[in-house]
Amino acid sequence: MKNISIDEKWVFRNGYVDNLGMLRDDPGVEVNLPHDGMIGTKVQPDAPAKADSGYFVGGLTNYTKYLMIPKEWENDCVGLKFDGAMMNVTIEVNGCKVGSQHYGYAPFYVDLTDYVTFGKENRITINCNTSMYVNSRWYTGSGLYRGAILCHGPRVHAVNDGIYVKTREVADGYAFLEAEVEVANSTLENRLAEIILVIARDGSEEANCTVKRVIFIGAGKTETAHIAFNVKDPELWDAENPNLYKVKAQVKNLGVYRTHFLPQDNTEVDEAETLFGIRTITADVIRGLRINGKTVKLKGGCLHHDNGLLGAVSLYETEARKVKKLKEVGFNAIRTAHNPPSAALVEACDRLGMYIFDEAFDAWGMAKRGGDYSQFFISDWEKDLTAFVKRDRNHPSVVIWSTGNEIPERGGLDNGYELATKLAETIKKLDGTRPVSNGICSLWSGLDDELMINQSQKQNSAEGLHDTSWETITEPFTNGLDIVGYNYMEGLYERDHEMFPERVILGSENFPKEIGFRWPFVEKRTYAIGDFTWTAWDYIGEAGIGKAAYVDEDDIIAKTNGWVLMPGTGSPYPWRCANDADFDITGHMLPQGAYRSVVWGSPKTHLFSQRPETFGKKECTTMWGFPELFVSWNYAGSENKDIRLVVFSNADEVELIVNGNSVGKKPVSTEFPMPNSVKFDTVYVPGKVEAISYKDGKEVSRDTLVTTGAPAKIRLIPEKSTLKADGHDAAYIGIEILDNEGNVVPGAEIELVAEITGNAFLAGFGSGNPKTDDNYTDGETVSFKGRAMAIVRSGYEKGTVTVKICAKGVGEAHDALEII
């Protein structure tokens, strides 16, 4: 079926619409999709979800659009396709309910054929409900955050997400493939249809091959065409070489079949197309994970679905930017924690080269929060899982499926063992080309009272893993899994390899500060195929799970080993972000990301300081925390006081120079807890500090910190100069507060105001500050560590857009973008 974007000009309102009069009484606000109805609302200290949601509050919202359905379509099929809608949504046409969807992350399709009036405008209203508190462990956003598609095609047509291309073998200069094309016959007569497949390299109109097949489809039924074909001299897909192909399916209704075939002259041809890649995947304990026959270690990061200042809105440009930045650090894989990602993110991974550990659910039948998906799981899981897999199974970036994360049923409660097998089997029936996994954690939950009473109930604590009860209890849960995901249980790898010598192990979640001593272990063992840090990119919600504190030995923080810092008591309002990532929500790399890049082989040197007042104190971090480090040499009032500097380096030794004087050389640590690092203690003297890395006695790289002057000017750093007039493009404009010498002032907290004129709008404005009550949509913010970010989103008209950022007491800066 033909897909037509209908994202332009919807009317957004608060509340629930149950009659036409409510629409007349409230004019609403015109918005373009994708749109998050929550991100522009006011955070509240008494939010029901508290730190879980970053103190945002859900509610009832609705979207309405009047849509002309052409008269000439009246003998055709019409529907709406959503890549996800948050959440518990109902779809109405002209006041009649025509569909509903509970799970906010799963794609779904609603058939409108029997409800619309052809030749007239039809009112489409979608009600969204995020008011069932508490419905998630993180920020969900609200509404039509992934857009809407109008689908149109003849009565005999390719089913939505009904094309599936799989690689059987690559050998002797050929790729041997098989395609499945689901074709629906919504007529009242049996039909014969011809399916023609045209395969070409993405971006090329030259057909690589063309194949066809004729199939029978019963009246009112769906049938699948199975078509084998081969591609000569195929260009294979992997993360380093993301070569893509495009398959276009043409479905032609040939005529009626009664007791014999009765051909009909008609021009009814339906078309559908999709991207795919040619590649093979295997996983075993001898050779590890292999892509196209080559062993790959997954350098992974977990990602939540939100896009920071944009809230839950997903745009290709935003997702692609994220993927590019992650690749620059060294990541080659992401885990879509803990739900189906947007189609935009999956396409970005296809095009740019990033492996995906593609996850379905965070909860099954046993709830993690009172209003979560568990209440609908039993009735909806197969529908939602099927839609998710069918959407993503053509995408070569998807290399592993995940049936869930830290599922309470992992100990067998609530029919957990049987469900685990059933979900894995369902995926394998839909796609037998990829391994299936599940992110399993320790037994801090998920046991009955008799067993739970002796277990540590601290989330993801390693306490209680000294015996083999975890292995015994969870073994039935792993039935059907090709790869077993271990959340925070690296200490079990060797023991479990002895117990289960054929088990392929994946570090499905790992503590961020442990990468230095965990990664060499993974690299040396074929049965351990990778590591996924929690998290690669900061997100809204689970606020403050990453913290560091510097205290005296007798402080309660030290006595609890940092547990008292955790939410909810440790993350009071206005904590917003998790603060546990390699990048902040604006895409600025944090010290944690610098460290990971060095562990993964970057030759760069990274120099950081710690605040003088923390010198000599005990460092306490939450399990998801990282040492508090600063790109700063501005500590006025602390002159001649002791200070610590930390250097991350992949070299042999590092020399520290302060104001031209060498403090000394030290070997780079190779030991627990933080290999690839060096610590220097000195006294604070304003000026310049340099760290120089040496390998075999020769300089490899260096990094510098300088004492800056006071804030004196503002600089804009646009990441692009043009936008497409498609309503979906976005430009990120970095904002820096500088001194007179052009240095970023690291402690600058300056009030900023943004103004946009032209055919675009300010989609997000804020900073990476994890503790804020900012409204990212109101054009006002305060710089954090001397930085902020503006995101400009295009409209549907061409022209020039001007951006002005005013910094209180500092000045203003301008930029211009062309919409083409």
Side-chain angles (χ1 to χ4, degrees), residues 170 236 279-282 287 289-296:
V170 178
L236 305 186
R279 57 105 185 85
T280 59
I281 305 171
T282 60
R287 300 168 299 177
L289 177 69
R290 300 213 304 171
I291 309 294
N292 301 324
K294 298 178 181 178
T295 298
V296 171

Side-chain angles (χ1 to χ4, degrees), residues 259-316:
T259 57
H260 63 275
F261 174 53
L262 301 174
Q264 293 179 338
D265 285 331
N266 65 67
T267 58
E268 287 186 6
V269 177
D270 184 43
E271 290 189 350
E273 63 180 48
T274 187
L275 293 174
F276 74 97
I278 299 173
R279 57 105 185 85
T280 59
I281 305 171
T282 60
D284 58 63
V285 296
I286 303 301
R287 300 168 299 177
L289 177 69
R290 300 213 304 171
I291 309 294
N292 301 324
K294 298 178 181 178
T295 298
V296 171
K297 292 289 186 181
L298 297 178
K299 298 177 178 179
C302 297
L303 291 182
H304 268 310
H305 74 294
D306 79 78
N307 278 305
L309 306 181
L310 298 178
V313 166
S314 179
L315 303 168
Y316 178 83

Side-chain angles (χ1 to χ4, degrees), residues 529-541:
I529 64 171
D531 173 293
F532 284 81
T533 186
W534 191 268
T535 58
W537 200 279
D538 206 4
Y539 58 98
I540 303 172

Side-chain angles (χ1 to χ4, degrees), residues 42-62:
K42 185 176 177 60
V43 287
Q44 300 177 21
D46 59 351
K50 299 188 182 300
D52 279 352
S53 66
Y55 293 91
F56 281 90
V57 179
L60 300 171
T61 59
N62 63 87

Side-chain angles (χ1 to χ4, degrees), residues 769-784:
N769 190 351
K771 192 176 180 181
T772 179
D773 61 0
D774 268 6
N775 182 331
Y776 296 143
T777 67
D778 68 2
E780 297 181 3
T781 191
V782 175
S783 61
F784 180 65

Side-chain angles (χ1 to χ4, degrees), residues 694-740:
Y694 298 92
K695 203 160 195 173
D696 299 325
K698 297 180 179 180
E699 179 179 335
V700 176
S701 59
R702 65 173 64 195
D703 197 13
T704 303
L705 299 177
V706 297
T707 304
T708 74
K713 52 188 174 181
I714 179 173
R715 176 167 62 195
L716 303 186
I717 307 175
E719 296 182 10
K720 62 196 296 186
S721 59
T722 61
L723 292 169
K724 296 187 290 291
D726 62 1
H728 294 98
D729 204 357
Y732 283 73
I733 302 174
I735 301 163
E736 295 180 340
I737 305 299
L738 310 177
D739 66 5
N740 279 320

